[in-house]
Amino acid sequence: FMCSQPERSQAGSFCVGGTAVKWAVLGEDFSIRERGSLPTGFTTAEETVSALIGLVEPYCERVSAVGVSAPGGIYEGDVTGTIHRGGALTFMDGCPLGKLMREALGVPVAVNNDGKCCALGEYAAGALRGTRFGVVLAIGTGIGGGIVIDGKVLRGAHCFAGEFSFMRNDVTTAANMGNSFADSGGWRALRDAAVAEKGLPEGSPVDGRRVFEWIADGDKAAQRALDRYARAFDGQLINLQAVLDPEVFVIAGGISCHPELVDALRAQMPLALASYEGTLAGIPVPQIKAAELGNDANLYGAVQEAMRLL
């Protein structure tokens, strides 16, 4: 929540996800004053809107604006903050979330896609500070993120810009989730590569944290898996460099907290570029940084959007 009135010097921020709603009250300096979360046990848009309004109401005298990060697409300039598609919360499709919250609370409400809020957060207070043009890729089950140019996130004609999951690994074969950046770049791809390199049975109960524990312990099979994963990921970064040409790629998402990931992406980039010859050899080398805000990036980004309404 951000304010233009002396008695209201804070802003409220929500990150609505498939498993939890995170909320925070932030000051004008982006410091988090209060925070909390509640499980996303909602089954209807009405329940969701009511819960979000209920979280803000105790702070109504203190906040001047509310920002909401949510799955799905929100068109640029849509003052109603209507969610399209709904992402992990399909029942939110068509819900004018911004309008309903604004009418109930009496303060400006900005709604934006979660990946785009992550990118805006890193621009406002994280790894994209001081850049004019940067890209955030958030590694989860798929690859979310956003493209930030001069402090504004690119939404695209259909609010689909930054949906990196849908990029195909092989454009000569059918488009499906097994032939997508979501499949080759999501955290499960690293897990599966580590399981295969170590000769473990398919479906072994291994998560990303365990893979990085192996790597920290000097497990060569796990390191080979990370290098293989990083080289494939770098191939997509090279494609994005050719199309977007940003100053920097910021790697976010759950496994980005492990410095070995960014180290591997940087180390494997020369190998990923090695097959480029002749005129193609002139492509700029993608610059890679780790996200700085962790799971709070969406909260900061939502507030960044809310501040534009004041």
Side-chain angles (χ1 to χ4, degrees):
F1 322 126
M2 238 33 204
C3 108
S4 56
Q5 303 173 26
E7 67 273 17
R8 291 187 175 187
S9 60
Q10 297 171 341
S13 181
F14 291 100
C15 175
V16 183
T19 58
V21 174
K22 296 182 296 180
W23 63 269
V25 180
L26 287 84
E28 291 181 337
D29 59 354
F30 284 102
S31 61
I32 294 180
R33 309 294 175 82
E34 296 183 47
R35 66 189 310 158
S37 67
L38 77 160
T40 308
F42 319 125
T43 57
T44 67
E46 291 76 14
E47 287 180 75
T48 306
V49 174
S50 177
L52 296 181
I53 291 171
L55 286 170
V56 179
E57 283 177 334
Y59 301 94
C60 272
E61 298 303 314
R62 293 166 50 187
V63 305
S64 60
V66 174
V68 182
S69 161
I74 299 90
Y75 285 97
E76 188 168 8
D78 179 6
V79 296
T80 68
T82 297
I83 294 175
H84 301 273
R85 299 184 296 276
L89 305 176
T90 54
F91 54 80
M92 292 296 288
D93 183 29
C95 175
L97 180 60
K99 176 177 181 290
L100 295 174
M101 292 186 67
R102 182 173 65 249
E103 291 174 349
L105 299 168
V107 297
V109 177
V111 183
N112 204 346
N113 168 266
D114 46 8
K116 294 173 177 59
C117 281
C118 176
L120 282 171
E122 289 293 338
Y123 175 83
L128 285 181
R129 282 192 312 270
T131 64
R132 191 187 74 80
F133 185 7
V135 174
V136 173
L137 295 99
I139 301 173
T141 304
I143 308 292
I147 302 158
V148 181
I149 305 172
D150 292 328
K152 293 193 67 176
V153 68
L154 179 67
R155 300 201 197 200
H158 308 94
C159 52
F160 210 73
E163 295 291 345
F164 304 117
S165 281
F166 293 85
M167 293 167 55
R168 276 193 281 178
N169 299 321
D170 182 354
V171 297
T172 65
T173 59
N176 56 60
M177 291 312 292
N179 179 30
S180 69
F181 193 15
D183 182 69
S184 66
W187 73 267
R188 288 193 180 100
L190 173 59
R191 185 267 316 275
D192 292 347
V195 166
E197 286 284 353
K198 289 178 68 64
L200 299 175
E202 287 187 25
S204 294
V206 174
D207 60 13
R209 184 181 293 106
R210 185 67 180 123
V211 172
F212 283 100
E213 287 175 354
W214 287 333
I215 292 168
D217 290 339
D219 188 305
K220 292 183 179 179
Q223 184 64 54
R224 286 197 303 271
L226 177 58
D227 291 343
R228 193 172 85 194
Y229 167 87
R231 196 156 53 249
F233 200 103
D234 284 346
Q236 293 285 21
L237 293 185
I238 294 168
N239 286 340
L240 290 170
Q241 188 76 46
V243 175
L244 300 173
D245 195 25
E247 296 168 56
V248 64
F249 290 101
V250 170
I251 307 301
I255 64 174
S256 68
C257 65
H258 299 281
E260 296 90 346
L261 174 64
V262 168
D263 289 345
L265 290 170
R266 290 171 174 162
Q268 295 299 312
M269 185 59 74
L271 294 175
L273 286 165
S275 60
Y276 285 74
E277 299 176 350
T279 57
L280 294 179
I283 187 170
V285 178
Q287 301 301 303
I288 303 167
K289 294 177 65 175
E292 296 179 4
L293 301 179
N295 292 329
D296 289 338
N298 293 51
L299 295 172
Y300 285 102
V303 162
Q304 178 85 345
E305 285 288 84
M307 290 174 64
R308 300 185 195 281
L309 301 180
L310 298 177

